[in-house]
Amino acid sequence: MKGFVQGADRQQTTLLPECLDDWVDESNPVRAVDVFVDALELRELGFDGVNPAATGRPAYHPSAMLKLYIYGYLNRVQSSRRLEREAGRNLEVMWLTGRLVPDHKTIADFRKDNGPAIKKVCAQFVALCRKMGLLAKASVAIDGSKFKAVNSRDNNFTKGKMERRLAQIEESVARYLSQLDTADRQTAASEVPSEELVARTTRLKEKLIKLEEEVKRLKAIEKEMLAAPDQQVSFTDPDSRSMATSGRGSGMVGYNVQAAVDTKNHLIVAHEVTNVGTDKSHLANMANQAKAALEAENLEAFADRGYFKGEEILACEEAGITVTLPKPQTSGAKSEGRFGKQDFRYVAEEDIYVCPAGETLIHRFANEENGLVLHRYWSNTCRTCALKAQCTKGPQRRITRWEHEHVVDAVQARLDKNPDAMRTRRETVEHPFGTLKMRMGATHFLMKTLPKVATEMALHVLAYNLTRVMNIVGIKPFLAAIRA
């Protein structure tokens, strides 16, 4: 081995330094975890076990357990069993926890029992970022992304899935019965069937018995499914739901994670885990959470067309939140080659619409539908109009206008003035989701039920934000900011 760099002798007593601190330099990210957790008031945040019990075996302090979890999520080690192994072999973890090696059950119970407190730690870090001046601009991009739950598609049932599954079984039964008839015809009346034919017939009958049992099982599940509020059941994780994704046929059973991301430094200022597959009803909630986290009087928010809902936009407007998002083109007339509502010009001063032919559609009446006050407009000149075939199939073209339509019009006007807004949204909010999913791995969540999944997501968001801040300002300035 001469001529090569020589390693140390394994038998010598000075293999490791006398001081464990010598193995963790001043720019090591583990020091940021240590200082950040030590600066928290764990009792005020609601962590269990801050005060030691008077009797019984001494417990681990929540500070050490929280440091272990934050380090694990920073380094893509989310499993309690893997964290237990790291505590016994990883020098950084030994330094961080003082060479404590809690068993995996103790580690898992800490995460399970301290969900609300862990979420507050995530919010505390956002407050620290705000004090450091990293969230000075009150501007966020809002989006949602689907994350896989611990529940396979086979253990999730919806009405559509059940109908398709029963139809497949019926087809299989018909095919097996046809094969049995064919086997019967292959044997003459007085002839003994061959061994191969007997074996095939026996196998087909066994398959039919199994399918009959499967139908009974599915019928029992169907009864439970139809009794559920959303007519859907999941057996491994009861809170998870079947959700459609952008790719055709690529739906998953999981959760819809909402996030509001700062447009300057791409820090996640607010997040929430839901089991509702669509984004429409989350705009005002996420925008208000972001506004509260930033402690801003006014907020600028960008979102995609999946969030377009008049009531949500109005709620944002009333809360001092300026929303920019595109309006989805859902007009059936436009898709059929006729004029859409956007081809009619509204004149606010006169409360009328002007059609493509230059005719005036006046206000006729107002009514309430689904809690919304809607105004109706039409003209009596449609019957003789030269453009009628391009406009409507009925006697006249009627236009419906919501009483707060001006709020929606303002959103579209802002998008027209700032066409790069959607590019800003995409570049801001899709980057954190991609990073989070890469860190979480192919299986995404490890825990079951909505409260526990929300805790797990809070740790992922905290680790993501911590990494972003250390990359932006550097570890030593970050440590100084925490101690200040």
Side-chain angles (χ1 to χ4, degrees):
M1 298 291 288
K2 290 182 179 179
F4 294 95
V5 178
Q6 299 296 310
D9 184 0
R10 291 175 178 150
Q11 304 301 320
Q12 69 180 11
T13 58
T14 58
L15 175 62
L16 298 178
E18 294 181 6
C19 180
L20 189 60
D21 197 59
D22 292 345
W23 282 89
V24 179
D25 59 51
E26 292 299 322
S27 60
N28 194 312
V30 76
R31 290 190 179 271
V33 177
D34 184 59
V35 174
F36 171 65
V37 174
D38 285 343
L40 296 173
E41 293 292 340
L42 299 184
R43 183 179 290 103
E44 294 180 5
L45 293 173
F47 280 93
D48 292 337
V50 176
N51 298 317
T55 59
R57 181 182 176 184
Y60 292 99
H61 194 277
S63 175
M65 303 298 292
L66 182 59
K67 290 176 182 178
L68 179 60
Y69 261 116
I70 295 176
Y71 177 88
Y73 278 73
L74 268 176
N75 292 277
R76 307 182 196 179
V77 184
Q78 297 97 279
S79 162
S80 58
R81 293 180 184 273
R82 292 179 64 196
L83 283 171
E84 179 186 6
R85 289 197 294 271
E86 291 301 302
R89 69 187 181 189
N90 188 315
L91 285 172
E92 290 180 342
V93 179
M94 291 178 186
W95 178 90
L96 186 63
T97 62
R99 299 189 70 178
L100 294 174
V101 187
D103 65 88
H104 65 270
K105 180 70 165 57
T106 302
I107 297 171
D109 286 345
F110 174 81
R111 179 173 54 186
K112 181 186 69 175
D113 298 336
N114 292 281
I118 290 173
K119 293 177 197 173
K120 291 178 183 178
V121 171
C122 187
Q124 286 280 93
F125 189 81
V126 173
L128 173 63
C129 294
R130 189 182 65 247
K131 292 176 183 176
M132 293 172 61
L134 296 174
L135 299 172
K137 186 179 180 181
S139 176
V140 298
I142 298 172
D143 201 3
S145 187
K146 311 299 191 301
F147 286 73
K148 295 176 188 174
V150 187
N151 200 108
S152 69
R153 291 188 190 184
D154 292 338
N155 282 325
N156 169 268
F157 293 89
T158 63
K159 195 172 181 179
K161 280 185 183 179
M162 186 66 70
E163 290 173 354
R164 288 193 295 271
R165 180 61 181 144
L166 289 171
Q168 289 171 356
I169 291 176
E170 286 182 11
E171 291 176 4
S172 298
V173 169
R175 186 171 66 253
Y176 294 152
L177 289 173
S178 175
Q179 291 176 7
L180 281 173
D181 291 340
T182 302
D184 290 340
R185 284 193 293 269
Q186 289 177 353
T187 306
S190 60
E191 189 177 331
V192 178
S194 64
E195 291 183 7
E196 294 82 359
L197 196 59
V198 170
R200 190 195 316 165
T201 304
T202 303
R203 187 170 64 253
L204 288 172
K205 289 179 179 178
E206 288 174 353
K207 286 182 178 181
L208 286 169
I209 292 171
K210 287 182 180 179
L211 287 176
E212 186 179 353
E213 293 173 352
E214 178 67 5
V215 169
K216 290 179 181 178
R217 186 182 77 90
L218 290 176
K219 288 294 183 181
I221 293 172
E222 185 178 31
K223 188 179 294 185
E224 182 180 348
M225 177 197 70
L226 293 175
D230 57 352
Q231 295 192 340
Q232 184 176 167
V233 291
S234 297
F235 289 114
T236 309
D237 181 352
D239 289 344
S240 62
R241 288 293 177 266
S242 179
M243 298 182 181
T245 54
S246 56
R248 186 177 180 182
S250 61
M252 67 173 68
V253 180
Y255 292 92
N256 185 6
V257 179
Q258 299 289 313
V261 183
D262 162 57
T263 56
K264 182 179 179 182
N265 291 313
H266 296 188
L267 293 166
I268 301 174
V269 299
H271 75 279
E272 186 171 317
V273 181
T274 75
N275 58 2
V276 179
T278 59
D279 296 332
K280 272 190 175 182
S281 59
H282 299 301
L283 179 62
N285 176 36
M286 292 310 303
N288 278 304
Q289 285 191 42
K291 184 183 175 187
L294 295 173
E295 294 187 351
E297 292 185 6
N298 297 290
L299 179 73
E300 181 183 36
F302 303 96
D304 62 21
R305 59 171 46 90
Y307 287 88
F308 192 92
K309 188 178 180 181
E311 302 95 302
E312 293 287 313
I313 295 171
L314 178 62
C316 289
E317 188 78 14
E318 293 172 346
I321 300 167
T322 304
V323 179
T324 303
L325 76 166
K327 184 177 182 179
Q329 301 298 330
T330 57
S331 171
K334 199 71 174 176
S335 64
E336 294 173 4
R338 300 193 304 274
F339 295 127
K341 184 180 176 181
Q342 60 270 33
D343 296 313
F344 291 72
R345 180 170 55 88
Y346 180 68
V347 182
E349 297 79 10
E350 302 177 45
D351 190 23
I352 61 170
Y353 273 94
V354 179
C355 77
E359 296 293 339
T360 300
L361 284 69
I362 63 174
H363 179 262
R364 301 291 181 170
F365 67 92
N367 67 324
E368 186 173 331
E369 291 183 14
N370 300 321
L372 303 179
V373 177
L374 303 176
H375 297 265
R376 312 290 181 176
Y377 301 77
W378 71 80
S379 171
N380 290 325
T381 61
C382 291
R383 296 177 186 273
T384 59
C385 180
L387 300 178
K388 183 176 182 296
Q390 297 175 249
C391 189
T392 181
K393 293 179 179 179
Q396 70 262 125
R397 178 62 181 269
R398 299 193 176 198
I399 298 294
T400 301
R401 182 179 178 84
W402 181 38
E403 64 173 334
H404 299 293
E405 191 94 10
H406 62 280
V407 176
V408 177
D409 293 339
V411 169
Q412 186 60 48
R414 282 194 291 271
L415 183 60
D416 294 339
K417 290 180 182 177
N418 182 16
D420 291 332
M422 290 304 97
R423 182 176 180 179
T424 300
R425 181 211 66 81
R426 184 174 62 252
E427 293 175 349
T428 298
V429 76
E430 292 186 5
H431 157 240
F433 278 132
T435 302
L436 286 169
K437 287 184 177 180
M438 180 188 67
R439 286 185 164 192
M440 296 170 82
T443 56
H444 294 173
F445 290 120
L446 301 177
M447 304 184 76
K448 304 170 189 174
T449 71
L450 186 58
K452 295 176 184 177
V453 166
T455 301
E456 194 176 353
M457 196 69 219
L459 284 166
H460 279 294
V461 170
L462 176 59
Y464 167 83
N465 281 342
L466 188 56
T467 303
R468 285 291 299 166
V469 172
M470 289 189 291
N471 288 339
I472 293 168
V473 303
I475 294 174
K476 291 184 179 179
F478 178 52
L479 294 176
I482 298 174
R483 294 185 177 116

